Amino acid sequence: MDMVNAVTGFSRNGVFDWIVQRATSVIMLAYFIFMMGYFLTHSGVSYEEWHAFFTQTSVRIFSVMALVSFFLHAWIGMWFISVDYITDRLLGENGAWLRLGENGTWFRMAFQFVCAVINFTYLVWGIQVLWGV
Amino acid sequence: MLQVSIYRYNPDTDREPYMKDYQLDTGGKDVMVLDVLEMLKEQDPTLAYRRSCREGVCGSDGLNMNGLNGLACIVPVSEAMGKSNTLILRPLPGLPIIRDLVVDMGLFYGQYEKIKPYLINDTPVPAKERLQSPEERAHLDGLYECILCACCSTSCPSFWWNPDRFIGPSGLIQAYRFLIDSRDTATEQRLLELEDPFSVFRCHGIQMCVEACPKGLNPTIAIGHIRNMLLRLET
């Protein structure tokens, strides 16, 4: 039976992970409300208006902040999921679910790797889109 | 006739666990679930379960009754069954089965041991005893009453997934009991041992522990207090 550890977690400190997850959710909620506000007050946005809106420095800063928040929030959340469910305890030979042998650790690391790659791709792609307009 | 379905497993003779059905005449009385087990044991002496005080004090007979954890000795059959027509008894979930309704509590006690469930005080020992004011003593109410029956921790999904790393509601309510004890001087050291992402922070506040506790305690609130103490210490 493997010991699930925190070495691949965000900070190895539960307090810091917890604060980051709460703070990033507040930022994402604020960004969501901000964007909803924009859509509700600007019906039928033209490309020019949209372009002008997203080239403002303040909007870009807020957008990147929301994007980075998404990156951190998703990483901490997906890491939690991986250490809860993708373990030898649940997937191993005597596990409750898929009996995959004692490979829980490898599946968990593969899952974390895939999550990290997808997460990073979204972050870079998002920044590229923001600066591309 | 009362219909009873009980989880049976004897590792010496059974390849797999199975549910065994029984019928019992309780004489129309609404007895406690433990009484049902005692009567069934006369029918079938191979049935294994733990019990001791039969009045909700010792915490030996924690069971899963129709899906909810509780002490068999203080839960009436009518309450356990609800609207169901069968009384379904299973061992506490998430812990290894020794036999029938008897579970191995090693993981549970291991977490209790981790929180150092005793007073630590590095000041000189007074001649008589370490005194506490009535107000300081009142902080321990709602915490010290835990009888370690494991009904809360074994109803917690986070404890099912990480029983070796997550302290669990029972251990954490005990941890808070020592964190706020005015006679304990190891508060900071205790908190630092809980700061990792598993010990406390696997709690997502779903409150299954509160629902399960036969003593009416609230581990979720205690865990919230620990989290606040950690925030104050580390930010």
Side-chain angles (χ1 to χ4, degrees):
Chain A
M1 189 66 73
D2 71 325
M3 275 284 275
V4 176
N5 225 314
V7 72
T8 55
F10 178 58
S11 72
R12 306 181 77 167
N13 178 311
V15 191
F16 188 62
D17 282 9
W18 189 81
I19 297 169
V20 170
Q21 212 175 23
R22 263 69 198 167
T24 52
S25 52
V26 170
I27 292 170
M28 286 190 291
L29 178 68
Y31 189 73
F32 178 74
I33 293 169
F34 173 70
M35 290 307 291
M36 287 303 287
Y38 178 78
F39 283 120
L40 290 175
T41 51
H42 299 73
S43 53
V45 187
S46 69
Y47 177 76
E48 285 71 28
E49 281 172 318
W50 178 250
H51 185 263
F53 179 69
F54 270 100
T55 44
Q56 293 173 62
T57 306
S58 55
V59 175
R60 277 186 171 169
I61 289 172
F62 198 14
S63 301
V64 174
M65 198 188 288
L67 206 55
V68 172
S69 295
F70 174 82
F71 174 80
L72 297 174
H73 195 94
W75 174 250
I76 295 169
M78 296 311 278
W79 182 80
F80 276 173
I81 290 170
S82 73
V83 295
D84 275 357
Y85 301 107
I86 312 179
T87 62
D88 283 350
R89 186 182 307 287
L90 291 173
L91 306 181
E93 268 158 29
N94 299 312
W97 297 349
L98 306 164
R99 312 232 161 136
L100 296 170
E102 300 297 306
N103 293 318
T105 304
W106 300 110
F107 280 101
R108 184 171 65 253
M109 282 174 64
F111 176 81
Q112 290 171 350
F113 180 76
V114 170
C115 285
V117 167
I118 293 172
N119 229 351
F120 185 75
T121 305
Y122 274 126
L123 180 69
V124 175
W125 191 15
I127 292 171
Q128 193 190 12
V129 168
L130 272 171
W131 255 259
V133 294
Chain B
M1 283 300 236
L2 177 67
Q3 308 290 321
V4 191
S5 175
I6 302 184
Y7 180 102
R8 300 298 308 268
Y9 177 59
N10 180 345
D12 294 334
T13 54
D14 302 327
R15 280 189 59 228
E16 284 189 346
Y18 61 98
M19 297 301 289
K20 188 170 178 184
D21 294 328
Y22 296 88
Q23 288 204 329
L24 185 71
D25 182 8
T26 58
K29 277 190 273 181
D30 187 16
V31 295
M32 298 293 172
V33 174
L34 180 62
D35 297 326
V36 170
L37 284 171
E38 299 279 282
M39 287 186 254
L40 287 176
K41 187 145 176 105
E42 282 177 24
Q43 272 185 33
D44 179 357
T46 65
L47 177 62
Y49 54 91
R50 284 197 183 105
R51 59 146 297 170
S52 183
C53 77
R54 62 105 185 96
E55 55 186 6
V57 175
C58 71
S60 305
D61 61 353
L63 288 182
N64 186 280
M65 297 167 277
N66 289 56
L68 275 178
N69 289 356
L71 298 177
C73 55
I74 53 169
V75 175
V77 169
S78 60
E79 188 186 318
M81 285 169 65
K83 288 180 184 155
S84 167
N85 56 8
T86 308
L87 178 66
I88 304 164
L89 303 179
R90 294 172 183 272
L92 290 175
L95 293 175
I97 310 290
I98 295 173
R99 181 174 161 174
D100 297 342
L101 302 174
V102 179
V103 291
D104 179 352
M105 307 265 281
L107 284 162
F108 175 78
Y109 291 137
Q111 295 302 340
Y112 180 56
E113 198 180 345
K114 265 195 215 166
I115 60 108
K116 302 197 173 88
Y118 41 83
L119 280 180
I120 302 172
N121 192 317
D122 54 12
T123 59
V125 182
K128 273 189 171 174
E129 58 191 301
R130 295 189 193 279
L131 294 174
Q132 226 176 3
S133 71
E135 293 74 33
E136 287 168 339
R137 168 61 187 77
H139 287 310
L140 309 184
D141 290 338
L143 305 170
Y144 81 92
E145 298 93 331
C146 174
I147 55 172
L148 298 175
C149 64
C151 287
C152 60
S153 290
T154 58
S155 67
C156 172
S158 285
F159 188 76
W160 298 340
W161 310 148
N162 290 293
D164 50 349
R165 300 295 310 273
F166 175 50
I167 303 283
S170 169
L172 288 170
I173 201 170
Q174 297 280 345
Y176 184 58
R177 178 246 171 279
F178 287 98
L179 281 168
I180 55 141
D181 194 309
S182 59
R183 298 163 297 178
D184 193 280
T185 57
T187 310
E188 188 171 330
Q189 177 201 330
R190 289 179 186 279
L191 284 172
L192 290 175
E193 280 166 23
L194 296 173
E195 68 167 13
D196 66 281
F198 287 92
S199 299
V200 174
F201 289 91
R202 307 325 318 243
C203 170
H204 301 301
I206 64 166
Q207 306 195 40
M208 285 299 290
C209 52
V210 182
E211 179 114 352
C213 180
K215 308 302 279 187
L217 308 180
N218 192 323
T220 307
I221 288 181
I223 294 167
H225 287 308
I226 297 177
R227 201 178 273 149
N228 289 346
M229 289 177 95
L230 278 165
L231 282 173
R232 264 196 294 275
L233 179 73
E234 303 205 358
T235 55

